[in-house]
Amino acid sequence: MRKLQTKLKMAIASLCAACAFSAHAQTFPDRPITLVVPYAAGGITDAYARSIGDYLGRLWNTQVVVENKGGAATIIGTQQVARAKPDGYTLLLTSYAYTSNPILRKDLPYEPAALTPLMLLGNSRSMLVVPAKSDLRTLDDVIKKGKKAPGNLKFASSGNASSPHVAAELWAKQVGVSFTHVPYKGTGPAMNDLLAGLVDGIFDGPSSIANVRAGRLRALGIANESRHPAAPEVPTFKEQGIDMVFGSWFGFMAPANTPKPVIDKLNKGLNTSLQDPKVRKVLESAGLFVVGGTPAEFASFLDAEARKLQGLVDSGVKFIVQ
């Protein structure tokens, strides 16, 4: 009899919880949502967040407040969301550092499992660009230079373990060359030295297309399944015999244990925002390959990205993080 009563109490508790979650999802959101960007204001991630946040605010008749929490390689902002109440009112828009930090850092103040995927916003695929005046006119020229004098080839990046650095390591492993990595504190100073001819190239995102169009840079290949619509003349690495698909990415996360009905509503709203012409213009003007999709698809993507980086680490590539 007592066992039956216990089972009945558990069933009633589960039913009540389910009803509470359902009611929460129906009224959600009924107050402002905080969208944390773990980078300083004014960057591309910030622009994505504000554009989508404005759209969601109109869609749900509430305010979406973008909060910039830069610093410590995105750790500060990510930690804030990882420790937030799992009710859907605190979200994170993050990028590649979310993949690299758990692999390269042993002292994270949060558990990656404390966050759950919402939606993959899109990819900014790596594109190898060199100075327009460079003697490296083709991908074969770059490979020949790397093989002729190991280490003489110099690739810039926006920092150790950044996506341009990882892209260069993946590429070098594929073609069998060695290079000298020249890390900078951000893409800006790296690009300045590239334009000055002080380094041979960088695996930047398609945002470099503007410099290519202006005649300052030459694009030799892009690490995507297909050519970029804004630069159809740039061949993919696959077309040139190199099986490489890689780049930075941007995606939304929520605290783990956020009720599924709320996750579903958030995911639906985020996907709907990608159909808005104003939002789409902001995303695509920066060279983003817009993706969208389900939380499960984003989780699978994150797993694949982590395996790529872990493979480099296991092969002996040294990434220095600060």
Side-chain angles (χ1 to χ4, degrees):
M1 185 68 178
R2 289 181 179 177
K3 289 184 178 180
L4 179 60
Q5 289 177 335
T6 300
K7 288 182 178 180
L8 285 171
K9 288 180 180 180
M10 291 176 64
I12 292 171
S14 297
L15 181 61
C16 289
C19 290
F21 287 162
S22 178
H24 177 48
Q26 289 176 6
T27 59
F28 176 88
D30 57 7
R31 55 188 171 87
I33 293 173
T34 298
L35 177 54
V36 177
V37 175
Y39 299 97
I44 192 63
T45 315
D46 185 50
Y48 293 162
R50 293 182 186 281
S51 178
I52 292 174
D54 286 345
Y55 176 87
L56 293 177
R58 297 192 302 272
L59 178 67
W60 290 327
N61 194 31
T62 190
Q63 186 179 12
V64 177
V65 180
V66 175
E67 186 174 331
N68 297 94
K69 284 284 185 178
T74 74
I75 291 174
I76 294 175
T78 304
Q79 175 183 266
Q80 176 179 332
V81 181
R83 295 180 176 179
K85 187 177 179 180
D87 55 9
Y89 287 97
T90 306
L91 308 176
L92 177 73
L93 174 55
T94 189
S95 61
Y96 190 75
Y98 180 82
T99 298
S100 61
N101 280 338
I103 295 174
L104 303 178
R105 300 175 184 272
K106 297 181 179 179
D107 56 348
L108 286 181
Y110 64 88
E111 290 293 332
L115 292 161
T116 189
L118 275 177
M119 186 193 75
L120 175 61
L121 176 58
N123 299 303
S124 182
R125 293 305 192 191
S126 298
M127 186 168 65
L128 176 57
V129 291
V130 300
K133 296 180 180 180
S134 171
D135 293 334
L136 304 174
R137 306 194 66 83
T138 67
L139 201 56
D140 283 341
D141 290 340
V142 182
I143 295 172
K144 287 176 182 177
K145 180 173 182 176
K147 289 185 175 180
K148 183 178 180 180
N152 195 37
L153 187 65
K154 294 183 290 185
F155 283 144
S157 83
S158 53
N160 282 297
S162 63
S163 59
H165 181 196
V166 175
E169 296 287 359
L170 285 169
W171 178 85
K173 186 178 180 181
Q174 284 276 355
V175 301
V177 304
S178 62
F179 68 95
T180 296
H181 174 223
V182 186
Y184 291 82
K185 293 183 178 179
T187 302
M191 191 60 66
N192 288 338
D193 275 9
L194 177 66
L195 292 169
L198 300 179
V199 290
D200 292 305
I202 187 173
F203 285 81
D204 194 27
S207 55
S208 287
I209 290 173
N211 278 318
V212 173
R213 290 280 179 266
R216 292 186 286 267
L217 294 177
R218 181 184 301 122
L220 303 183
I222 187 168
N224 194 49
E225 296 90 344
S226 59
R227 298 192 180 198
H228 197 286
E233 74 280 7
V234 181
T236 67
F237 287 125
K238 282 190 172 184
E239 289 177 66
Q240 302 177 77
I242 303 171
D243 187 14
M244 177 177 167
V245 175
F246 182 78
S248 189
W249 55 264
F250 302 85
F252 292 88
M253 313 288 292
N257 300 317
T258 299
K260 187 178 183 303
V262 174
I263 292 289
D264 291 342
K265 191 166 187 177
L266 287 166
N267 176 263
K268 182 178 179 180
L270 288 168
N271 274 290
T272 302
S273 75
L274 302 185
Q275 308 307 315
D276 181 73
K278 291 183 179 179
V279 172
R280 199 87 182 187
K281 183 177 180 180
V282 170
L283 302 179
E284 293 181 344
S285 64
L288 192 72
F289 287 97
V290 180
V291 179
T294 67
E297 289 168 338
F298 187 18
S300 178
F301 171 85
L302 290 172
D303 183 61
E305 291 296 291
R307 287 199 305 271
K308 290 178 186 177
L309 179 56
Q310 189 64 59
L312 287 175
V313 173
D314 293 343
S315 70
V317 176
K318 302 296 183 183
F319 292 99
I320 302 171
V321 292
Q322 298 174 339

